[in-house]
Amino acid sequence: MVERPMAARFPHTLRVLLTLALLVGFAPSTQAKTVRYPAYERYVPGTKLNKYERKVLQAVRQWSKQKKQRLTYDPRLGKVAKSMAKLTANEKSPLDKNEARRLAHRQGVTDGQIAHVITQGDTSSLSIEALIRELDRSLKHVDMTHMGVSTIRKNKVVTTALILSRRLVKLGPLRSYTQADKTVYLRGRFFQKGLASSVQNAHVALTLPSGKVVKHKLQVVDRKFQLPILTGKTPGIMQAQIIVERSQGPEVAALFPI
């Protein structure tokens, strides 16, 4: 389950650490410590970007425009990127896909597809160049819809973190934990334009604490849906996935534990 970052060394004064992880649906180990995340899909106020972060934002949007895509800045993903940059700048263990997903859940993000790229360079311009090179190399043909960026300068090294997500469905606010033997209402709507316009049908897959998987077909009316979920009598972690059918096949549109 652990995906180690790819490392590369560039000539002269540039030191670069590149990490990339494209996250799809996965079930964390049952041995993992239970974490009570704040409510999912809650409102998070925007934060002011510094001068360098605005340059990164501009460069990534230009890169996306060449692909005929539009990336929307999400303040929640910006906070995720900030945590990623801090972890890397403090030279802790390499950031893997499980940690990136955990940071996203902490900010209430439930998007099923997430990718992140982290670069380090002696100057901000070199770090941006490395970031765009890695995007061209690894994500040139991957469609994303939202992003967050953050930068940190520490010990004369600039760390740049970029996180991208693919958002097909907008969920209503949802508590990340509840009592056993209760009903949780999953509400949401699919977007009318963009990637979500190709969604043909959808269902919810629930992995119960016992390991049993239960599937429910989503009844979508005017692109909206509502599904009551019974938590059951057994305490533990229940993994929820919204799986959609598109022209490319099945895809995880949302992923979160309760």
Side-chain angles (χ1 to χ4, degrees):
M1 295 298 295
V2 176
E3 187 173 284
R4 290 200 172 274
M6 297 172 290
R9 184 171 297 276
F10 288 74
H12 306 302
T13 60
L14 177 62
R15 298 187 302 276
V16 180
L17 169 65
L18 301 177
T19 64
L20 170 70
L22 179 61
L23 306 187
V24 296
F26 65 93
S29 170
T30 55
Q31 302 297 323
K33 182 180 178 181
T34 301
V35 178
R36 288 189 172 185
Y37 301 107
Y40 298 121
E41 299 303 330
R42 66 190 187 280
Y43 170 74
V44 173
T47 56
K48 186 177 181 180
L49 301 179
N50 60 41
K51 180 179 179 180
Y52 175 56
E53 288 168 341
R54 290 196 297 270
K55 289 183 178 180
V56 177
L57 196 66
Q58 182 180 5
V60 175
R61 279 181 170 164
Q62 182 63 31
W63 171 83
S64 178
K65 184 178 180 180
Q66 293 174 356
K67 295 176 54 184
K68 297 182 179 180
Q69 290 185 14
R70 178 182 178 183
L71 286 172
T72 301
Y73 187 82
D74 186 336
R76 298 176 305 164
L77 291 177
K79 292 181 181 294
V80 176
K82 188 171 185 177
S83 297
M84 291 166 47
K86 284 183 177 180
L87 288 173
T88 304
N90 291 332
E91 299 181 347
K92 293 188 176 181
S93 57
L95 191 72
D96 59 39
K97 62 183 180 180
N98 292 347
E99 181 68 8
R101 175 64 68 180
R102 185 186 69 81
L103 294 174
H105 284 158
R106 179 185 291 176
Q107 297 300 332
V109 178
T110 61
D111 298 340
Q113 310 292 330
I114 293 179
H116 70 268
V117 180
I118 300 176
T119 62
Q120 288 183 316
D122 291 340
T123 66
S124 59
S125 60
L126 290 176
S127 191
I128 291 178
E129 290 173 5
L131 182 72
I132 299 303
R133 280 197 297 267
E134 183 62 12
L135 287 174
D136 277 334
R137 192 188 71 82
S138 302
L139 291 173
K140 188 174 183 179
H141 302 293
V142 179
D143 294 327
M144 293 295 183
T145 62
H146 291 74
M147 69 173 171
V149 301
S150 182
T151 65
I152 292 178
R153 177 179 289 275
K154 184 176 182 180
N155 298 328
K156 298 182 179 181
V157 174
V158 177
T159 300
T160 303
L162 169 71
I163 182 165
L164 305 167
S165 75
R166 182 185 303 165
R167 192 163 303 163
L168 304 177
V169 59
K170 179 177 177 59
L171 297 181
L174 178 70
R175 292 186 62 184
S176 66
Y177 63 94
T178 186
Q179 295 180 349
D181 204 18
K182 294 290 183 179
T183 300
V184 176
Y185 286 92
L186 181 63
R187 301 180 176 91
R189 67 175 176 83
F190 291 98
F191 296 106
Q192 295 183 357
K193 297 180 180 180
L195 302 177
S197 62
S198 61
V199 172
Q200 299 171 358
N201 56 68
H203 70 272
V204 175
L206 302 173
T207 304
L208 306 179
S210 63
K212 181 181 178 181
V213 178
V214 179
K215 295 183 179 181
H216 300 279
K217 183 176 178 59
L218 279 181
Q219 299 297 329
V220 182
V221 179
D222 193 22
R223 297 192 176 273
K224 298 179 182 179
F225 61 86
Q226 175 175 301
L227 178 70
I229 298 175
L230 298 177
T231 60
K233 298 182 181 298
T234 305
I237 299 176
M238 177 174 64
Q239 292 290 333
Q241 298 184 63
I242 296 180
I243 301 175
V244 300
E245 292 285 344
R246 295 205 301 149
S247 55
Q248 298 91 337
E251 178 179 336
V252 179
L255 171 67
F256 53 93
I258 298 177

